[in-house]
């Protein structure tokens, strides 16, 4: 290839690249978790009987770089190290509207502060609503917080009585992408 043609090819490539639009990365953030740990306010409360004395208050979350075509979101908090053989689902929030840019802290089991249309199916505690972390004494667990962008306004057949596995099936079947945070929490 002669220098003239090589120069034209390079100039054409640079011109195309300069006009290109790059997609923003889908990210999840929580100001309460900036130190890489849940605060005492977010830990499980004493009435659950696992030995923690936290406030059991859900942290707030914000997100950006949402995939094109997103119609709703699903947020989960999962402890993959729970001594159950299958992990432990601490929180499930489904059908979060695509217009939402985050979730406020302090969403209770009755849905206070939950965006309109969103719902909290059951967790592994057997009830809807946030259940904070409480790893066994002397252990450190990895808590995976996942925000999934989905291509439907509402997950089919998912109600407040749905199990985490049922929600997970329809979430994965309709996923457009995920943003994750992993928190290492010990006690």
């Amino acid at each position: 290839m002669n220098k003239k043609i090589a120069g034209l090819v390079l100039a054409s490539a640079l011109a195309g690249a300069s006009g290109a639009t790059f997609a923003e990365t889908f990210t999840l953030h929580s100001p309460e978790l900036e130190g890489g740990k849940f605060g005492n306010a977010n830990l499980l409360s004493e009435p659950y009987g696992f030995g923690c004395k936290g406030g059991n208050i859900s942290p707030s979350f914000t997100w950006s770089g949402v995939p094109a075509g997103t119609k709703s979101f699903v947020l989960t908090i999962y402890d993959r190290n729970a001594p159950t053989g299958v992990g432990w689902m601490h929180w499930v929030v489904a059908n979060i509207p695509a217009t939402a840019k985050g979730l406020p802290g302090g969403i209770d089991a009755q849905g206070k502060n939950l965006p309109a249309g969103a719902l909290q199916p059951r967790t592994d505690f057997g009830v809807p609503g946030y259940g904070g972390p409480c790893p066994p004494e002397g252990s450190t667990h990895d808590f995976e917080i996942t925000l999934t962008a989905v291509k439907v306004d509402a997950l089919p057949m998912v109600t407040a009585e749905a199990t985490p596995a049922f929600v997970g099936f329809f979430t994965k079947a309709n996923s457009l992408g995920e943003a994750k945070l992993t928190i290492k929490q010990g006690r």
Side-chain angles (χ1 to χ4, degrees):
M1 181 184 294
N2 71 33
K3 288 183 182 181
K4 191 179 225 182
I5 294 174
L8 288 173
V9 169
L10 179 61
S12 176
L14 290 174
S18 67
T21 303
F22 297 98
E24 187 180 352
T25 303
F26 188 28
T27 59
L28 179 63
H29 175 73
S30 175
E32 291 91 342
L33 306 178
E34 283 181 355
K37 297 193 182 304
F38 289 91
N40 193 57
N42 308 120
L43 297 178
L44 193 65
S45 58
E46 194 169 8
Y48 282 85
F50 287 89
C52 287
K53 297 178 182 177
N56 206 44
I57 298 171
S58 66
S60 65
F61 294 96
T62 58
W63 48 82
S64 62
V66 174
T70 298
K71 294 193 176 174
S72 66
F73 300 97
V74 177
L75 182 102
T76 59
I77 299 179
Y78 172 71
D79 176 0
R80 70 175 184 218
N81 307 116
T84 63
V86 294
W88 190 271
M89 191 63 74
H90 283 262
W91 199 26
V92 180
V93 184
N95 304 339
I96 303 166
T99 55
K101 304 292 183 218
L103 288 176
I107 295 173
D108 66 15
Q110 291 73 41
K112 176 186 169 200
N113 295 330
L114 200 61
L119 68 103
Q120 299 177 93
R122 291 186 313 180
T123 65
D124 284 330
F125 291 102
V127 295
Y130 176 80
C134 183
E137 285 192 56
S139 67
T140 299
H141 286 201
D142 295 309
F143 292 87
E144 297 174 352
I145 304 167
T146 305
L147 179 70
T148 306
V150 295
K151 60 186 174 185
V152 294
D153 293 323
L155 295 178
M157 302 185 296
V158 170
T159 66
E161 293 300 312
T163 64
F166 192 77
V167 175
F169 175 81
F170 285 107
T171 300
K172 292 290 186 187
N174 291 287
S175 175
L176 294 171
E178 295 180 339
K180 290 188 177 223
L181 294 173
T182 300
I183 304 297
K184 287 194 173 296
Q185 188 76 36
R187 182 163 74 103

